[in-house]
Amino acid sequence: MAQDTQVPVKPSWYLLGPAFVAAIAYVDPGNVAANVSAGAKFGYLLVWVIIAANVMAGLVQYLSAKLGLVTGRSLPETVGAHSRTPTRIAYWLQAELVAMATDLAEVVGGAIALHLIFRLPLLLGGLITGLVSMALLVIGDRRGPRIFEQVTSGLLAIIAIGFLASLVVAPPPPTAVAEGLLPRFDGTESVLLATAILGATVMPHAVYLHSGLSRDRHGQPEPGPVRRRLLRVTRWDVGLAMLVAGTVNLAMLVVAATNLRGHDTSGSIEGAHTAVGDALGPTVALFFAIGLLASGLASTSVGAYAGAMIMQGLLRVTVPLLWRRVVTLVPALVILAVGVDPSRALVISQVVLSFGIPFALVPLIRLTSDRALMGADANRPLTSALGWTVTAVISLLNMVLLYLTFG
């Protein structure tokens, strides 16, 4: 609900937080699978994709947060308010597919982590991941958004430590990493992985979610100094969160490129864990697995939160978070039960997410460019042009992928 925030007396650092919750989506197990596969198969070739995806995500997340602050509505609510019933239902169906693909990646990733640490069966690990995420959702539901931000930010710190530890022990060759900044591909598989990296970074559910997080945290301030200050703080919030997420994503790819290239592991997460252990020792491998576990637990909670917000905004139906958790958990458990290769399932789930990105970005850019809706805070022409460019690049990459795969 919109809140009166006319006199925010709290220091700027206290107002940070929503972007760090959304940033959990950028370092989920789907990112791990996509980045590890890219590093293992192509070395440092796709470093530039990580950087580009991170810059794109920063712009998109700021626009989403701005929409929530200025309008007092989440992106799904705003889309729902401007759409007829058949359109809202169709839009919700594609968003629900995205939510299920998101949950698939997160639950499977948590199951893999528990298998690596405790040797638990994957199905049992998936159930445990789902139960722990339910507990995190209960905490957020009962204690409020600030506590949920603190818990998820703490998990983000664990994720960062887990994946950056190996770089501290064995730094990669700077020249090789720098060469990866040159944009290029190497066949269909590299395009597939680039699309997966984009889908894992510019996450559709995070785009929907961030608008609601900002609204819930800061309310709908009136135009003037208060709103300008909150928008300025939001830019810092997004920038810092994306710096953390981008560094972690780059670390994943670089670790795989340094330690997995040439190993017969097919770029799997399990193979990455084994190779890191062989090259850098069991302690660093344990950090890797703990980072993956924190990633799964945090991201699946955030994903369920986003799914509930999407359903409420588009269908105007309020569903308890725990029921949302159960609904999106089932497909992931089915995947684990039937024995599909988990790492491959993670990569494919990120490709599905990539195809959902335009459905989130097109209305976001249109709405934030609408001066009647946003007033003086509507996008400037350059901002809108950059937003449309991001949408076009991702859509084009998806079409190229379809042509190379089925043409």
Side-chain angles (χ1 to χ4, degrees):
M1 299 293 294
Q3 304 169 12
D4 184 7
T5 54
Q6 292 303 302
V7 188
V9 297
K10 299 185 182 300
S12 295
W13 63 263
Y14 185 85
L15 300 174
L16 303 176
F20 285 84
V21 176
I24 291 292
Y26 317 142
V27 291
D28 77 342
N31 290 81
V32 181
N35 295 331
V36 164
S37 295
K41 295 180 180 180
F42 297 101
Y44 305 99
L45 178 74
L46 297 180
V47 164
W48 68 274
V49 178
I50 298 280
I51 304 299
N54 209 58
V55 172
M56 292 178 186
L59 171 63
V60 168
Q61 293 305 135
Y62 173 69
L63 294 181
S64 177
K66 183 173 74 168
L67 178 70
L69 273 174
V70 173
T71 66
R73 287 177 170 176
S74 68
L75 176 58
E77 287 174 334
T78 311
V79 170
H82 290 77
S83 305
R84 296 181 178 180
T85 299
T87 303
R88 285 192 292 109
I89 294 175
Y91 195 89
W92 169 75
L93 286 174
Q94 66 82 27
E96 194 67 30
L97 178 61
V98 165
M100 289 185 177
T102 300
D103 220 34
L104 168 64
E106 293 155 353
V107 173
V108 170
I112 293 174
L114 288 170
H115 174 71
L116 293 175
I117 298 172
F118 301 110
R119 295 300 168 189
L120 296 180
L122 289 175
L123 182 57
L124 177 59
L127 286 169
I128 292 173
T129 301
L131 290 173
V132 173
S133 68
M134 286 184 186
L136 293 176
L137 288 170
V138 168
I139 292 173
D141 195 40
R142 293 184 178 179
R143 301 292 298 278
R146 181 61 179 167
I147 296 298
F148 189 65
E149 286 174 13
Q150 292 172 345
V151 172
T152 51
S153 296
L155 289 171
L156 179 60
I158 295 173
I159 295 167
I161 293 170
F163 290 113
L164 291 173
S166 58
L167 295 185
V168 176
V169 175
T175 303
V177 177
E179 289 176 354
L181 295 174
L182 178 64
R184 62 197 190 281
F185 294 109
D186 184 15
T188 303
E189 184 70 7
S190 68
V191 178
L192 171 67
L193 288 171
T195 306
I197 291 171
L198 281 173
T201 305
V202 189
M203 295 283 275
H205 79 281
V207 178
Y208 297 124
L209 176 66
H210 202 163
S211 54
L213 291 173
S214 294
R215 182 269 319 273
D216 293 342
R217 182 75 145 79
H218 303 306
Q220 184 187 3
E222 295 294 330
V226 173
R227 182 186 288 181
R228 288 197 298 271
R229 183 193 179 203
L230 287 173
L231 288 172
R232 184 171 63 252
V233 170
T234 296
R235 287 192 288 271
W236 277 100
D237 194 26
V238 172
L240 292 172
M242 292 311 306
L243 178 62
V244 173
T247 302
V248 173
N249 277 319
L250 185 59
M252 295 175 192
L253 186 146
V254 168
V255 166
T258 304
N259 300 288
L260 262 181
R261 198 82 192 273
H263 287 70
D264 186 18
T265 60
S266 301
S268 67
I269 293 177
E270 298 93 327
H273 177 264
T274 300
V276 168
D278 291 342
L280 305 176
T283 301
V284 177
L286 178 62
F287 272 104
F288 182 96
I290 291 173
L292 177 64
L293 178 59
S295 170
L297 295 177
S299 56
T300 192
S301 305
V302 171
Y305 193 86
M309 186 177 292
I310 291 168
M311 179 176 282
Q312 182 177 0
L314 291 171
L315 298 187
R316 299 165 188 170
V317 173
T318 300
V319 177
L321 282 174
L322 296 184
W323 280 111
R324 282 290 319 178
R325 172 74 289 216
V326 171
V327 169
T328 53
L329 182 63
V330 171
L333 295 179
V334 170
I335 291 293
L336 293 173
V338 300
V340 175
D341 175 47
S343 292
R344 190 63 177 175
L346 285 174
V347 174
I348 296 301
S349 73
Q350 302 312 293
V351 176
V352 173
L353 294 181
S354 187
F355 282 97
I357 292 170
F359 291 97
L361 296 191
V362 170
L364 174 66
I365 298 166
R366 288 186 61 185
L367 290 169
T368 54
S369 300
D370 186 350
R371 189 163 292 275
L373 179 67
M374 301 291 290
D377 294 304
N379 296 340
R380 296 179 180 179
L382 178 60
T383 303
S384 294
L386 290 173
W388 288 121
T389 300
V390 169
T391 305
V393 167
I394 295 174
S395 301
L396 177 62
L397 191 57
N398 288 336
M399 290 187 288
V400 170
L401 173 65
L402 284 176
Y403 174 78
L404 293 176
T405 303
F406 302 109

